[in-house]
């Protein structure tokens, strides 16, 4: 379904990003693996080996997407190696939760800088390439809480609501150029990001989920595969909720 394509997936050494990388590779897509911290270097190499066994090519690029030049370099390296970038998944994201009275300025700035500005940095780098090649699929990772809000996450919810606004605006800008721009809004997915929640918090979340379970990274990867494929060619500017029915 994605045979011979090239996908750049930010923050792809663990969690949802890793699951998307494996799913895309299983469909024949070449993968640009991105990581930020030294500690993820081993994970990146292990993932590259795992994906290589599926018969596709990989490129590992260390880049902090919050840094404009590093994000640009990530996308340029992908173009250099594969001659094109068919798919960008803006997946990398962080949380720094606190109630407003305890949330300091740097907690707000760093979450906005990675989740919103980091996505912009990658979009800015990939758009000229996609315009030139006259096709592209962009998938931005939003969140259910960017739509419905969540106490203790003013910074995170603002960043994800921003991602949704950016998705819709860019979909309108690029719609006539054969470039689809969509967002996925995951609910609570079982990854490192949510493993820090207490049992009580998880219980409270589950009471709001009609499907009565946390999501799996693969639940998101399946939808990301659909949005990267030609099966979704007539879909743009949408926010696809993959949240067990939390928001409807
Ligand atoms: P995760 O397990 O914490 O993984 C996040 C990944 O992003 C890590 O590989 C991390 O690498 C990378 N990353 C963070 N900042 C980065 C930066 N500045 N530059 C490059 N990479 C960076 O999180 P996840 O649960 O898979 O989440 C993936 C995406 O889904 C995020 O955008 C998140 O907001 C969104 N989401 C998750 C959930 C959920 O319940 N899990 C729900 C809704 C939305 P380092 O370790 O090197 O920082």
């Amino acid at each position: 379904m994605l045979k011979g394509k090239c996908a750049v997936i930010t923050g792809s050494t663990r969690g949802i990003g890793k699951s998307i990388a494996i799913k895309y590779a299983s469909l024949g897509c070449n993968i640009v693996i991105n990581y930020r911290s030294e500690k993820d270097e081993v994970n990146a190499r292990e993932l590259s080996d795992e994906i290589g066994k599926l018969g596709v090519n990989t490129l590992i690029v260390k880049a902090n997407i919050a840094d404009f030049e590093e994000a640009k370099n990530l996308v340029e390296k992908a173009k250099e190696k594969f001659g094109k970038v068919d798919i960008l998944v803006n997946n990398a994201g962080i949380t720094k939760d606190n109630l407003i009275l305890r949330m300091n300025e740097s907690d707000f700035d760093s979450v906005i800088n990675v989740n919103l500005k980091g996505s912009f940095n990658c979009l800015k780098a990939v758009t000229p390439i996609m315009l030139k090649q006259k096709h592209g699929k962009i998938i931005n990772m939003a969140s259910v809480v960017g739509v419905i809000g969540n106490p203790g996450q003013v910074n995170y919810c603002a960043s994800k609501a921003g991602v949704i606004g950016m998705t819709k605006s860019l979909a309108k800008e690029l719609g006539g150029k054969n470039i689809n721009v969509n967002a996925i809004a995951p609910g609570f997915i079982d990854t490192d990001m949510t493993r820090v929640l207490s049992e009580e918090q998880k219980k409270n979340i589950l009471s709001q989920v009609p499907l009565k379970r946390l999501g799996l990274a693969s639940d998101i990867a399946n939808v990301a595969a659909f949005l990267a494929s030609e099966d979704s060619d007539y879909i743009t500017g949408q926010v696809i909720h993959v949240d067990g029915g939390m928001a409807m």
Side-chain angles (χ1 to χ4, degrees), residues 208-235:
Q208 302 167 51
V209 181
L211 287 179
K212 297 291 166 217
R213 66 167 175 90
L214 290 187
L216 303 171
S218 57
D219 290 320
I220 308 302
N222 291 335
V223 176
F226 168 67
L227 289 176
S229 78
E230 56 189 31
D231 289 348
S232 60
D233 275 355
Y234 200 53
I235 299 177

Side-chain angles (χ1 to χ4, degrees), residues 16-30:
I16 291 171
K18 179 179 178 182
S19 190
I20 294 173
I22 293 169
K23 178 74 187 183
Y24 281 11
S26 75
L27 299 170
C29 190
N30 300 312

Side-chain angles (χ1 to χ4, degrees), residues 154-212:
V154 160
N155 50 0
Y156 184 77
C157 297
S159 74
K160 295 302 187 180
V163 165
I164 290 173
M166 201 158 63
T167 300
K168 293 180 180 178
S169 302
L170 200 58
K172 289 188 175 181
E173 277 188 38
L174 302 179
K177 307 290 182 190
N178 198 27
I179 300 170
N180 304 60
V181 190
N182 290 292
I184 297 176
F188 284 82
I189 311 300
D190 187 17
T191 67
D192 291 348
M193 190 175 268
T194 47
R195 270 170 216 141
V196 295
L197 297 172
S198 68
E199 281 312 309
E200 197 182 328
Q201 282 172 312
K202 281 190 191 163
K203 217 170 125 191
N204 180 34
I205 289 161
L206 280 178
S207 70
Q208 302 167 51
V209 181
L211 287 179
K212 297 291 166 217

